[in-house]
Amino acid sequence: MEKQTHPTLTKIDHPSVWTAEDVLASSAWLRVLTDDENEEIERAVEQVTRSGLALNDVSKNTFALPTLGPRLLEMRRELLHGRGFLQIRGL
């Protein structure tokens, strides 16, 4: 009878490795939009609506978010290269 070998487990140290307890113990995954950021979204919606652009023609150049845009990029980085999830509140 052959002796079975088991693979060696390697600990992974990365922000995407978390447990429910980790999530409950921290609010680092939470993003709350400010009133100014919400107003910026409303202005961008109004501008696009007034322009008559078709939904397919809306882009980051036509939906200006000068303040929120960089913050959204940070959130994107967190989703792709960090924890892998977040919650946005205040919208």
Side-chain angles (χ1 to χ4, degrees):
M1 183 194 261
E2 286 186 41
K3 183 178 179 181
Q4 284 188 321
T5 60
H6 299 282
T8 303
L9 299 178
T10 304
K11 182 178 180 181
I12 301 172
D13 185 22
H14 188 269
S16 65
V17 179
W18 47 264
T19 64
E21 292 81 18
D22 296 334
V23 173
L24 293 171
S26 171
S27 62
W29 48 271
L30 180 62
R31 305 294 186 276
V32 180
L33 298 184
T34 66
D35 290 342
D36 289 342
E37 290 167 333
N38 277 302
E39 289 172 12
E40 187 173 85
I41 293 168
E42 289 177 17
R43 283 191 304 272
V45 168
E46 289 171 5
Q47 182 178 2
V48 167
T49 301
R50 279 194 310 271
S51 74
L53 282 173
L55 186 58
N56 291 345
D57 295 327
V58 176
S59 69
K60 67 179 181 180
N61 295 326
T62 60
F63 197 86
L65 298 172
T67 304
L68 182 57
R71 190 162 179 220
L72 290 173
L73 287 175
E74 177 271 322
M75 291 181 206
R76 180 180 186 271
R77 279 190 294 277
E78 178 69 19
L79 291 170
L80 296 175
H81 305 291
R83 187 173 291 106
F85 77 94
L86 52 83
Q87 183 182 53
I88 300 173
R89 288 187 185 169
L91 185 61

